[in-house]
Amino acid sequence: MKNYLFIMRQPPHASGRVQETLDMILTAAAFDQQVGVLFCDDGVLQLASGQNPAAIGLKDTARIFTALEIYDVDALYAEAESLAARGLTAADLILPVRLVSRADVNQLMNRHQLLIPD
Amino acid sequence: MPPGFAAGSLPIRFSTLVFYLFMKFAVQLNSSPYAAVAGLDAYRFVLAAIQAGHQVLQVFFYREGVYHAFRYATPPDDEICIGRDWSALAERHGIDLLVCISAAQRRGLLCRDEAARQGKLDDDLAPGFRIAGLGQWLEAGLQADRCLVFG
């Protein structure tokens, strides 16, 4: 078993990237790997509540993140500075996250064997 | 004391030396030939790794990376054709070039079997590539000493 950290930096609904990232996350989880997800930069918007992508004909990818718990993916991290820069707090997100300060991101990455960018 | 150093034996056992000198790499490529230079970087990395004696378990073409695997990419003669280079690399060095099936199908890349299954006539997959799933991507990650993501 290995430790995976998926790093979400892209905003939702700007490209098809998130769907394919979620496929990797779910595969790693389905194969019983230890999976963490770090949301930073525009990636924190993936979890912002109140999204309505159906209005522009896109899939509600935030809902897929809520399904991660079923696969025992509950190590969700959000970078505090990225949230603050976008006027968000942890309370504005659809899922409970552990806040990580920018200074501690390096340490978080070092605790994982594989870093997979989105 | 580092592993391999044991009193009364050679300083470093040959198997330990091989372990340190040669690594197993898993490579993932996410971007298309013309959107970024990442594909060329990946190709050159794989070639350099093999030439240095390392093992490349697989190159996994994901996201826009699947565009490397189109059989009928036909750039002008004075430009590089990276798909052809990958095919040659697979033939010469036996590198396993895996194309993610869901990423490929989204982008209209169908191998002959899959096309036939869907009642289509495509035969898009270049020589040396094969269709695979994310399960194989994960397996390589577990076996590899290092995983590299390009693009």
Side-chain angles (χ1 to χ4, degrees):
Chain A
M1 193 180 73
K2 285 192 176 180
N3 294 322
Y4 285 72
L5 183 67
F6 290 88
I7 301 163
M8 312 292 294
R9 299 181 62 200
Q10 308 291 331
H13 322 308
S15 73
R17 294 184 78 86
V18 64
Q19 181 65 56
E20 289 181 330
T21 307
L22 280 162
D23 288 347
M24 287 193 287
I25 294 173
L26 294 173
T27 302
F31 277 71
D32 293 326
Q33 305 305 304
Q34 215 167 317
V35 176
V37 187
L38 168 66
F39 299 87
C40 58
D41 299 333
D42 280 343
V44 296
L45 298 169
Q46 297 282 2
L47 296 185
S49 56
Q51 297 178 42
N52 182 21
I56 50 168
L58 293 178
K59 206 164 155 180
D60 188 2
T61 47
R63 268 220 346 238
I64 308 176
F65 284 100
T66 60
L68 289 179
E69 206 188 347
I70 302 166
Y71 293 88
D72 291 326
V73 180
D74 48 14
L76 305 180
Y77 307 91
E79 195 204 53
E81 285 86 344
S82 297
L83 280 173
R86 287 156 187 81
L88 297 171
T89 67
D92 298 313
L93 305 181
I94 54 167
L95 286 171
V97 294
R98 306 176 203 178
L99 292 182
V100 181
S101 69
R102 188 161 293 172
D104 292 335
V105 166
N106 192 21
Q107 199 188 21
L108 177 69
M109 288 179 170
N110 277 332
R111 289 212 310 268
H112 292 80
Q113 291 162 298
L114 282 96
L115 306 175
I116 311 290
D118 69 348
Chain B
M1 193 181 281
F5 282 82
S9 74
L10 284 169
I12 298 177
R13 270 176 282 132
F14 182 69
S15 59
T16 312
L17 191 69
V18 168
F19 178 80
Y20 280 127
L21 285 179
F22 302 121
M23 280 202 174
K24 282 186 256 180
F25 290 101
V27 173
Q28 181 185 342
L29 175 53
N30 289 335
S31 58
S32 73
Y34 296 103
V37 80
L40 207 52
D41 292 342
Y43 172 79
R44 287 187 176 137
F45 172 82
V46 170
L47 192 60
I50 301 161
Q51 285 170 348
H54 299 292
Q55 197 183 343
V56 177
L57 298 174
Q58 68 171 217
V59 183
F60 192 82
F61 295 81
Y62 197 50
R63 305 189 196 272
E64 319 305 321
V66 302
Y67 286 106
H68 286 257
F70 273 93
R71 175 189 288 268
Y72 297 110
T74 314
D77 288 343
D78 61 344
E79 292 180 13
I80 55 166
C81 182
I82 188 149
R84 215 178 293 147
D85 290 342
W86 282 117
S87 292
L89 192 72
E91 201 193 334
R92 218 169 292 150
H93 300 285
I95 301 291
D96 207 3
L97 306 178
L98 302 183
V99 182
C100 175
I101 186 162
S102 58
Q105 290 195 0
R106 274 194 186 102
R107 292 164 180 85
L109 172 77
L110 277 76
C111 67
R112 195 185 301 176
D113 293 353
E114 186 56 30
R117 206 178 64 81
Q118 300 198 19
K120 292 171 181 162
L121 295 172
D122 290 53
D123 177 19
D124 304 321
L125 199 64
F129 292 85
R130 65 186 179 104
I131 294 290
L134 279 168
Q136 279 141 301
W137 163 80
L138 192 103
E139 293 277 342
L142 296 183
Q143 286 171 32
D145 300 308
R146 294 285 186 278
C147 296
L148 286 101
V149 183
F150 290 85

